């Protein structure tokens, strides 16, 4: 089976490449990929019933993610083999596991797709995606993405990735000062240690947490640190608070003097698959096929608590080149391909509060396209 992963870096100017192309609606699978919007007929898909789609307006924290039966949606191989390149910031993070498993288990190959994963930071990948030099980006609708779309990039968020398990404490942690408790921490004016800095999707959940503790995104000082330095800075007092990811938060969980203030909203993915003009317009058949393989992988291998399967965890640790004990130390991610209503609106509001947004906010019609995964499961709008 085909397994292609590649890591490389390149520096490009986001503003140097602009692309503008309208996103098409679903159309007949056997029709031209350049058919006009609204000409694709969505048909029922074997193994994908009522539970394969949820109302985007449902923001309930306990919302059950959409699911088909294992092995569904069934493959629909392309008439001719198609090579696709997906850029991702890392190949080892747990949220990339569905792509790695799909590649290793031949799910892309079943669709007639020869997929290559390339490690590339989002700012470098965006202009390449807009130009068509890469086909998809596994990332998030960060401020750089929104600003790129405002500048003319034809890029849309087409599928989600995950939401946190209720047991997860990945998120905003603070050192408690005298007289403070986990229910009340004065956050205004504090220094925040983060790997990404301003413009990341964590701005949205961080804003929610700060508002509960007398602070705001404009009221804190940001200190960008390396991944290995964030926890150290929090522990030695170099910063007052920090955004700690899996499994780093386990180092302070339950220890005196630290408080978890909040993380990513449950039931609401903040990242996933981004498409450019190529898979949105020029070859939408391949775009649907790519998502179909991704969804089938989730339904087959990540439908529920995949960490209950010891054999699978061992396999996953080897695939991600991660320590098995580390992978077992945190709750499983709730893999979720659907995109909630208003997420990009809330994200842009947070970016604006940070001073990372350019121009007026974009409507959801410019940032999101749910039609491809809806077609993959047979849900007609």
């Amino acid at each position: 089976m085909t397994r292609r992963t590649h890591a490389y870096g390149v520096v490009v100017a986001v503003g140097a490449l602009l692309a503008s192309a309208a996103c098409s609606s679903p159309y007949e699978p056997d029709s031209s990929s350049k058919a006009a919007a609204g000409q694709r007929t969505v048909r029922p898909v074997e193994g994908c019933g009522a539970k394969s789609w949820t109302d985007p307006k449902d923001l309930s924290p306990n919302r059950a993610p959409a699911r088909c039966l294992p092995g569904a949606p069934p493959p629909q191989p392309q008439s001719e083999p198609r090579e696709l390149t997906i850029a991702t910031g890392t190949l080892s993070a747990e949220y990339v596991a569905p792509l790695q498993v799909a590649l290793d288990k031949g799910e892309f190959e079943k669709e007639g797709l020869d997929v290559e994963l390339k490690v590339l930071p989002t700012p470098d990948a965006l202009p390449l995606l807009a130009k068509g030099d890469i086909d998809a980006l596994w990332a998030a609708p960060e401020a750089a993405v929104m600003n790129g779309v405002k500048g003319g990039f034809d890029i849309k968020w087409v599928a989600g990735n995950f939401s946190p398990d209720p047991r997860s404490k990945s998120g905003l942690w603070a050192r408690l000062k005298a007289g403070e408790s986990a229910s009340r921490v004065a956050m205004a004016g504090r220094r925040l240690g983060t790997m990404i800095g301003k413009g990341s999707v964590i701005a949205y959940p961080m804003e929610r947490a700060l508002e509960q503790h007398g602070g705001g995104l404009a009221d804190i000082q940001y200190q960008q640190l390396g991944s290995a330095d964030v926890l150290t800075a929090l522990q030695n007092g170099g910063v007052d608070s920090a955004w700690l990811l899996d499994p780093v938060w386990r180092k302070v969980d339950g220890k005196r003097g630290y408080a978890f203030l909040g993380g990513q909203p449950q039931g609401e993915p903040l990242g996933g698959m981004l498409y450019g003009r190529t898979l949105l317009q020029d070859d939408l058949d391949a775009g649907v096929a790519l998502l179909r393989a991704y969804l089938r992988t989730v339904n087959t291998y990540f439908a529920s608590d995949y960490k209950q399967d010891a054999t699978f965890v061992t396999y996953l640790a080897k695939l991600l080149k991660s320590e098995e004990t580390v992978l077992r130390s945190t709750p499983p991610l709730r893999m979720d391909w659907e995109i909630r209503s208003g997420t990009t609106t809330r994200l842009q509001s947070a970016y604006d509060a940070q001073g990372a947004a350019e121009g007026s906010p974009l409507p959801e019609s410019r940032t999101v396209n749910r039609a491809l995964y809806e077609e993959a499961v047979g849900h007609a709008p």
Side-chain angles (χ1 to χ4, degrees), residues 230-309:
V230 174
L231 177 62
T232 300
L234 180 65
Q235 291 175 321
N236 65 21
V239 295
D240 308 297
S241 58
W243 190 270
L244 302 181
L245 303 175
D246 290 333
V248 179
W249 59 267
R250 303 280 297 186
K251 299 288 186 181
V252 295
D253 186 32
K255 292 189 176 181
R256 186 176 180 180
Y258 296 95
F260 174 61
L261 305 185
Q264 176 179 332
Q266 294 175 24
E268 184 177 13
L270 299 182
M273 195 78 80
L274 304 174
Y275 279 0
R277 177 190 175 94
T278 302
L279 296 183
L280 286 172
Q281 181 170 330
D282 297 339
D283 197 352
L284 190 50
D285 284 339
V288 174
L290 181 60
L291 290 190
R292 190 164 49 238
Y294 162 49
L295 271 56
R296 185 168 58 252
T297 302
V298 171
N299 291 320
T300 305
Y301 302 99
F302 299 93
S304 55
D305 187 350
Y306 51 92
K307 292 189 178 180
Q308 291 295 316
D309 186 337

Side-chain angles (χ1 to χ4, degrees), residues 347-361:
L347 287 171
Q348 290 180 87
S349 176
Y351 301 152
D352 184 63
Q354 285 185 321
E358 298 175 0
S360 301

Side-chain angles (χ1 to χ4, degrees), residues 115-239:
V115 171
E116 180 176 7
L117 302 180
K118 290 186 176 180
V119 175
L120 195 62
T122 297
D124 295 347
L126 286 176
L128 301 181
L129 180 63
K131 185 181 178 183
D133 289 344
I134 59 175
D135 302 290
L137 173 61
W138 189 252
E142 299 175 348
V145 176
M146 299 294 101
N147 292 336
V149 174
K150 292 173 186 177
F153 288 173
D154 185 16
I155 294 173
K156 285 188 172 67
W157 185 18
V158 299
N161 52 8
F162 73 91
S163 60
D165 185 280
R167 296 166 291 174
S168 175
K169 294 183 181 179
S170 173
L172 183 61
W173 285 79
R175 288 173 60 95
L176 297 177
K177 297 180 180 180
E180 291 183 333
S181 65
S183 61
R184 186 62 183 174
V185 181
M187 288 299 297
R190 293 207 180 190
R191 289 166 295 167
L192 173 75
T194 172
M195 292 187 297
I196 303 174
K198 295 182 179 181
S200 165
V201 292
I202 67 169
Y204 159 43
M206 193 162 62
E207 182 176 48
R208 290 177 30 154
L210 289 171
E211 287 174 349
Q212 298 177 27
H213 295 277
L217 293 175
D219 301 321
I220 59 174
Q221 303 173 42
Y222 297 89
Q223 187 167 337
Q224 192 165 353
L225 301 166
S227 58
D229 301 323
V230 174
L231 177 62
T232 300
L234 180 65
Q235 291 175 321
N236 65 21
V239 295

